[in-house]
Amino acid sequence: MLYLEIEPNALHFILIEGEEIQHSVYEMQHTLTFESNLRNAISGIPQTNGGNELLRVLMCSPGTAMSLGDFSEEVAPDVFSYCFPNRTKENIMYQMIPESNAVWVFGLPQEQCKTLEKKFGTVYYASTMAPLARYLLHQTRAGERKILVNCRRGWADIIAVKGRYLEIANCYQVTGPTDVAYYTTAIVKRIGFNQSKDECLLIGEESLRNAVHTELTRFISHLEHCPDITQELLGYLH
């Protein structure tokens, strides 16, 4: 199965064959269109097989959570537009987070969807936030509160849960570990994080995790680095 993770500055191609994971990265050239960047990436990355394989696209971009009781396909676009008024001409999509009776609503520019479907044919779209939330919910027992910080280049995904309740889930644009610490500590204060027992999990690229860890040790007592959880996260997409 081939996965394409779309970040603002890079395209990540992940090919899974059995237990083997192949990961290649193409750095986006912002002077080029998305279509040109994708064409260049496909020509230089063998995992794409020239662009003719079933593709699952993972979006690394902000979205919003809705309770399952409030959600409907008709309402979701209006909720998304209210939360992100500057993001127009996007295809609005959603994913279930059954552990929390919630739905994650996200978008992808229509032109990017057309380009991907033209190149790959059958495409399945997903957000990286939903599997991150589901992973964290499965790591949290009743009555516990945990925060997960996913460290990415230029971005941080921060999710907070208590038991089976999804408290906060958002993507933040950052310039470095100090920004990540700022957003994380703001959430800690907002939700009433208990320093004596609540945990913060760090995932993502090792060098970024270590830098964020150094900043957060001043504010959070229990920090835990997670091993590579790629397989587990992708498992929540099926």
Side-chain angles (χ1 to χ4, degrees), residues 212-221 223:
V212 170
H213 182 278
T214 300
E215 291 290 329
L216 284 177
T217 49
R218 297 184 293 161
F219 308 105
I220 297 177
S221 301
L223 291 169

Side-chain angles (χ1 to χ4, degrees), residues 29-40:
Q29 300 179 50
H30 292 291
T31 56
L32 301 178
T33 64
F34 176 79
E35 183 174 8
S36 296
N37 275 300
L38 183 65
R39 186 186 307 116
N40 291 345

Side-chain angles (χ1 to χ4, degrees), residues 123-142:
V123 178
Y124 295 95
Y125 298 98
S127 169
T128 56
M129 292 296 285
L132 286 171
R134 296 187 65 186
Y135 171 82
L136 184 60
L137 286 161
H138 278 273
Q139 303 303 309
T140 309
R141 294 191 295 266

Side-chain angles (χ1 to χ4, degrees), residues 178-218:
T178 302
D179 286 351
V180 181
Y182 169 81
Y183 288 117
T184 305
T185 53
I187 290 173
V188 163
K189 293 177 182 177
R190 178 177 171 183
I191 65 176
F193 193 82
N194 188 327
Q195 292 284 358
S196 66
K197 62 178 183 179
D198 295 339
E199 288 185 321
C200 178
L201 309 182
L202 300 179
I203 68 171
E205 188 177 317
E206 184 177 6
S207 61
L208 298 177
R209 274 192 285 117
N210 290 338
V212 170
H213 182 278
T214 300
E215 291 290 329
L216 284 177
T217 49
R218 297 184 293 161

